[in-house]
Amino acid sequence: MILKENKIQTKSYFIETYGCQMNVYDSELVASFLEKSGYQSTSDYNSADVIFLNTCSIRDNAENTVHRKLENLAYLKKQNPKMMIGVLGCMAQNLKNELMESKPYVDVILGPDSYRKIPEILESRNKTNNHFVDTKLSKFEIYEDLFPTRKSGVNAWVSIMRGCDKFCTFCIVPFTRGRERSRTIDSIVKEVEACIEQGFIEITLLGQNVNSFRTPDGEFPELLDAVSKVKGLKRLRYTSPHPRDIDDHLLNVMKKNKNICNHIHLPLQAGSDRILKRMNRTYSKKEFLDLVIKIKKYLPDCSITTDIIVGFPGETEEEFSDTLDVAEKVIFDNSFMFKYSPRPGTKAAGYTDQVDEEVKQNRLERYIALQKILTLKNNKLKIGKTFEVLVEKESKKSANQWAGRLDGNMWVVFDKTNEKIKDLVKVRILDTKGITLFGERV
Ligand code: 5AD
Ligand code: SF4
């Protein structure tokens, strides 16, 4: 029984997460540290005892959003000086000195490998008001023995490896998250089993480079195979792989196991050989296109999505048209599209031939326009066909309709009948608008 007096004394925390899914996972890890130390989650940050922002440095607009948020928090802190404000994640790692100088009201700065320090920080905070900074990157920290505190839902994210050794010249991740290290297959399988027991039915394996996963007991294909065998797992996804490391073994495992989704997020970044080389992506346009042919040979209906950067330093109009050309040839189902953003400290930020903002904006708009056409083209091919759909939530537009996903990751909206959330049902596609499909139960 929880006594009322105890309840009043319980301290509360609020975590706001920016950036990639890895940060969502890390925030869940941080939550588990906080809860073990007796803190309770609150949705009202005005009254929280601890506010953590788990931050992202991938592009400058991600950083700017966090700077603005911190300025708001400065006001709260003035009203309640006991409140603890912490910056976690990539910006903590990357901008520690700047943060300490310009935002003295930030009490705690912790890089992605320092979250084990949280209980100790909370403990010492009860005694003094010291600042705490730890941004040491570790070659070993994988939080192997910890399971994150997850909210309930359909999909659980499970981190399988941390860090990145690829050093694409535009990317800050190898600097903020350090070297690649993998968890053991055994502990990942155990975590997936625990997720299924908790009621999740879809798992997405996460890593900066999932297919760089390497352990003495096996590499990424072996892991995928082992996880797909977990009882009760309806769907298995992973993100993001590096195109260089997608091989026959992996495609075979995907083909063999029905619950592994027919979807590969395959970051292209750019279509020109010269730009790819300057980006250190280690594949050519032809190699990428050949890989897509190979994927379709194993998995004919596999949906392929991608990441695109426009306006990388030195990118000419003709080189940009190579990106459009690859997109048209592959007919990507969807793309995450970004204007190149120089990240201080990366190789590409030092290139002297940066592309003008207007040119980047114009290329971004042209790529977005093409992607809309490609998505529509792919979606139209689905009209009249029946697909297995995982019922995930009520449609935003109507309480009489469900929204669910195809295994290719597209959303479909359909009228409710007798199904419930987490059911896998057959839906015939009737129409498509924007990126959404509309269908009916069959
Ligand atoms: N500028 C723009 N986009 C970037 N990405 C990574 N670094 C940058 C950058 N400096 C994009 C890449 C990557 C995705 C996660 O973010 O497309 O695949
Ligand atoms: Fe960044 Fe490249 Fe590593 Fe992806 S593979 S995290 S883009 S350095």
Side-chain angles (χ1 to χ4, degrees), residues 45-302:
Y45 71 84
N46 290 298
S47 65
D49 296 292
V50 174
I51 299 183
F52 281 153
L53 303 186
N54 195 1
T55 61
C56 170
S57 283
I58 200 98
R59 283 169 290 277
D60 65 348
N61 52 6
E63 287 188 350
N64 293 339
T65 314
V66 171
H67 282 304
R68 280 195 299 273
K69 183 74 191 192
L70 281 171
E71 270 145 34
N72 288 343
L73 292 183
Y75 174 74
L76 261 187
K77 176 92 177 179
K78 248 189 215 142
Q79 291 175 319
N80 177 9
K82 283 211 164 121
M83 171 184 268
M84 182 200 270
I85 295 180
V87 175
L88 315 177
C90 289
M91 275 174 78
Q93 191 66 42
N94 201 26
L95 300 177
K96 150 180 94 171
N97 294 335
E98 190 189 317
L99 284 170
M100 282 194 296
E101 261 172 43
S102 71
K103 306 207 164 49
Y105 53 88
V106 171
D107 305 285
V108 174
I109 299 178
L110 288 182
D113 288 344
S114 305
Y115 300 147
R116 276 183 203 275
K117 295 267 159 69
I118 287 173
E120 185 191 316
I121 294 170
L122 296 171
E123 176 83 32
S124 74
R125 178 77 182 179
N126 287 334
K127 296 172 202 141
T128 64
N129 253 359
N130 282 350
H131 286 239
F132 200 100
V133 180
D134 191 329
T135 54
K136 236 195 332 269
L137 285 171
S138 157
K139 281 191 190 142
F140 309 105
E141 180 58 273
I142 39 176
Y143 300 109
E144 181 82 308
D145 50 323
L146 281 162
F147 288 177
T149 299
R150 296 186 168 90
K151 297 198 185 93
S152 60
V154 173
N155 176 78
W157 305 91
V158 175
S159 160
I160 63 165
M161 52 91 60
R162 298 177 75 86
C164 179
D165 291 350
K166 292 283 195 286
F167 286 93
C168 300
T169 58
F170 51 79
C171 189
I172 194 76
V173 167
F175 303 96
T176 59
R177 292 202 162 251
R179 301 289 60 78
E180 283 173 1
R181 57 230 116 107
S182 301
R183 292 175 60 184
T184 62
I185 293 185
D186 192 44
S187 93
I188 295 166
V189 167
K190 285 210 174 87
E191 186 172 336
V192 169
E193 285 167 348
C195 290
I196 302 292
E197 208 150 285
Q198 238 185 291
F200 292 97
I201 48 158
E202 180 182 90
I203 296 291
T204 306
L205 302 180
L206 270 185
Q208 252 78 44
N209 247 307
V210 272
N211 50 352
S212 294
F213 178 86
R214 233 155 239 111
T215 69
D217 300 324
E219 301 189 353
F220 186 60
E222 282 87 11
L223 171 73
L224 204 60
D225 201 37
V227 172
S228 79
K229 303 273 180 328
V230 171
K231 254 201 158 146
L233 176 61
K234 290 192 185 170
R235 280 187 169 175
L236 177 56
R237 301 181 183 277
Y238 61 87
T239 195
S240 290
H242 193 291
R244 190 181 79 185
D245 298 328
I246 296 214
D247 57 12
D248 293 83
H249 189 184
L250 172 60
L251 295 171
N252 239 327
V253 168
M254 290 182 72
K255 187 185 167 93
K256 217 174 58 192
N257 292 294
K258 242 196 109 232
N259 59 354
I260 304 178
C261 289
N262 247 330
H263 171 214
I264 301 184
H265 183 70
L266 198 64
L268 166 67
Q269 313 298 2
S272 137
D273 285 346
R274 190 184 76 94
I275 296 295
L276 285 168
K277 195 149 194 211
R278 267 192 131 194
M279 286 177 159
N280 191 29
R281 287 297 288 177
T282 66
Y283 51 82
S284 65
K285 175 180 178 183
K286 180 167 184 316
E287 282 165 342
F288 188 92
L289 289 170
D290 286 347
L291 175 61
V292 170
I293 293 170
K294 181 152 126 182
I295 292 171
K296 297 275 179 174
K297 199 176 86 197
Y298 279 92
L299 310 162
D301 299 322
C302 191

Side-chain angles (χ1 to χ4, degrees), residues 145 218 266 298 321-322 387 414 419 440:
D145 50 323
L266 198 64
Y298 279 92
S321 67
D322 273 322
F387 294 88
F414 60 100
E419 58 290 294
E440 63 181 5

